[in-house]
């Protein structure tokens, strides 16, 4: 559920993930000017660890959440992403 930002307020975006996000988040400021970004990404993290990163970083004022996970999960347990 997205809460609309106040007129003129910069949108707040939280990005959490693993090493793929560590690499790509370096470019987000360039492509998303005027967006208040919070990035919490740790290489090698599985979905459970990324959920913890989300819980550490989430603020209800954030209007967009990017959850970049699954790369380091055990493929024998696809239900982890549920």
């Amino acid at each position: 559920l997205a809460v609309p930002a106040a007129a003129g307020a910069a949108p707040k975006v939280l990005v959490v993930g693993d090493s793929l996000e560590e690499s790509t988040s370096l470019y987000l400021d360039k492509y998303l000017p005027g967006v208040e970004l919070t990035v919490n990404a740790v290489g090698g993290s599985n979905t459970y660890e990324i959920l913890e990163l989300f819980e550490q970083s989430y603020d209800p004022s954030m209007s967009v959440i990017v959850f970049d996970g699954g790369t380091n999960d055990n493929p024998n347990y696809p239900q982890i992403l549920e």
Side-chain angles (χ1 to χ4, degrees):
L1 175 64
V3 177
K12 294 182 179 182
V13 176
L14 171 61
V15 181
V16 293
D18 56 20
S19 60
L20 295 175
E21 193 54 56
E22 281 182 315
S23 300
T24 58
S25 64
L26 301 173
Y27 304 97
L28 293 177
D29 284 329
K30 176 182 176 183
Y31 292 107
L32 299 171
V35 173
E36 186 179 322
L37 288 169
T38 300
V39 177
N40 194 351
V42 177
S45 297
N46 63 36
T47 295
Y48 293 121
E49 293 165 326
I50 295 170
L51 177 60
E52 289 176 10
L53 297 175
F54 165 78
E55 291 169 341
Q56 293 168 4
S57 306
Y58 177 71
D59 181 296
S61 68
M62 295 171 168
S63 53
V64 176
I65 310 298
V66 178
F67 190 97
D68 188 3
T71 304
N72 297 302
D73 291 348
N74 185 330
N76 292 319
Y77 303 99
Q79 66 273 22
I80 289 172
L81 284 173
E82 289 180 295

